[in-house]
Amino acid sequence: MHRVSALAFLLLLLSVATDASVHTYSGDKFADKGNAFVVHGGSEGIYSSAPNHNDTSSAANGDSYIRFERITFRRNKDFTNFSSLPIQAVVFEVEDRETIGGSAYGGQRAVCCTSDLAKLGVCTEGQVIHRPSAENSDWPKVFGVSFEMDEDVAALPLKSIEITKTGMYNLYFIHCDPRLKEIVVEGKTVWKNPSGYLPGRMAPMKIFYQFMSFAFVFLGIFWFSQYARSWKDVFPLQNCITVVITLGMFEMALWYFDYAEFNETGVRPMGTTIWAVTFGTVKRTVARMVILMVSMGYGVVRPTLGGLTSKVVMLGGTFFLASEVLELVENVGAVSDLSGKARLFLVLPSAVLDVFFILWIFTSLSATLNKLQARRMLVKLDIYRKFTNALAVAVIVSVGWICYELYFKSKDIYNEKWQNAWVIPAFWQVLSFSLLCVICVLWAPSQNSTRYAYRDDGSEEFDRDETTLTLIKPSPISKEVRSLPDDRSVQGNNGISNGDLEEDKTE
């Protein structure tokens, strides 16, 4: 009989995870894994029951358990002329993974008990090999049911397993009978934490999104109060920032309600999740386009993007589609259920487009800074330097965090660090919010906003061939230069002085 290494078997199966505390099985078929036939029933981080938990109907009653409800196995009616070996449910904590499986005489480890192992008296042939945990002799939990002669349906008894130790728990339905062809499992299991039905690794995100909702509210109060007081002096860039803040407020609120409902019912609300994903994707797309337009000088040193408008819109639309598909699969479905190639197929386009955004942003910033310095627009040059520094810090921190994320996932093969996993997605939200705050401070609406806006007086014409980045502080303008009138300002209406010199004097 073909055998498989238990370590490789668990490595393959433990990598699968779902985001639903009510796991439903609708005719799931058993897969051939070595000498066993397996259905993965779920993997979740669960906190131990509270010492003084109560039996109220509230989801947050302090009780933790895995409950089996109406689990039935069906076999083809053409193959009911024999009594089968047992079909077993195996529940174990990830630290006890070595208690599942065994080997005879130092050979390869197998999940199902073989004739050689049965002769040694360590297991019963045709059943799952398991040994008591060193920490708790009652674990792992293994129980099952068999098909009797002429039966095509076998049902597991109703059972609830209380969780008394915090850990990553795994459930598999396993049988070792090759005669059971086309057998399927139906029913559901309910996984509960002390605070509700949210999986343990997702529970902190509910509090996090609540915090982020308040953070966006405070940012919105600051921005909209400034906007209301100086609405006559608002220029197009500030309107774009207003859109990003509004989208962020909706996104955080939707994510919070999504997690709150998930926690109460154990089933993720499809509609709320889709709306949260869509608002988040639109916000990220608009934010990237706004940063790119700022880098190009839109609304500050140029009135329009000219021929670049269609290219910016095309890049933004492509990024939206790639990100929306990825986010929907990750949140509405489960990206971890996909193969490595399928995952790469979804992640790669979004990552490539992000890199393209970054390269285009810094190339545009280089040209804009160079032109501002050449024209000695010191007020705008100062604000763009601060903006460039903030972007550079954000990119450096992002690269460092990506390296940490890869290290974290490479070292956490069995999801043993699930209690800290929420920090990884939360970091990206905090980083993007921090960058938005910097932009809001730099371009906050005020009565002096017109100093940062483009003025169509002929003083802000740029040469198109300047593309290099120069961050050397310009030398001060001599008094002789300051005293020279500008020909255009003399010929202009009402004797308006040159815009560049006015900006210089405000310094």
Side-chain angles (χ1 to χ4, degrees), residues 225-237:
S225 62
Q226 295 289 103
Y227 193 98
R229 280 187 300 206
S230 309
W231 65 273
K232 291 183 179 180
D233 299 312
V234 169
F235 56 98
L237 173 59

Side-chain angles (χ1 to χ4, degrees), residues 19-23 44-50 53-54 56-67 163 189-204 206-207 258-268 418:
D19 288 343
S21 283
V22 176
H23 296 258
E44 282 189 20
I46 305 180
Y47 291 93
S48 62
S49 298
H53 67 270
N54 54 66
T56 63
S57 58
S58 171
N61 60 4
D63 195 11
S64 296
Y65 57 76
I66 301 174
R67 188 172 66 234
I163 304 301
T189 54
V190 180
W191 305 55
K192 185 181 174 300
N193 271 284
S195 59
Y197 292 102
L198 269 176
R201 62 189 174 87
M202 297 176 67
K206 175 174 173 281
I207 300 173
D258 175 66
Y259 277 59
E261 185 173 349
F262 191 179
N263 192 54
E264 287 295 323
T265 64
V267 178
R268 196 151 198 178
W418 58 273

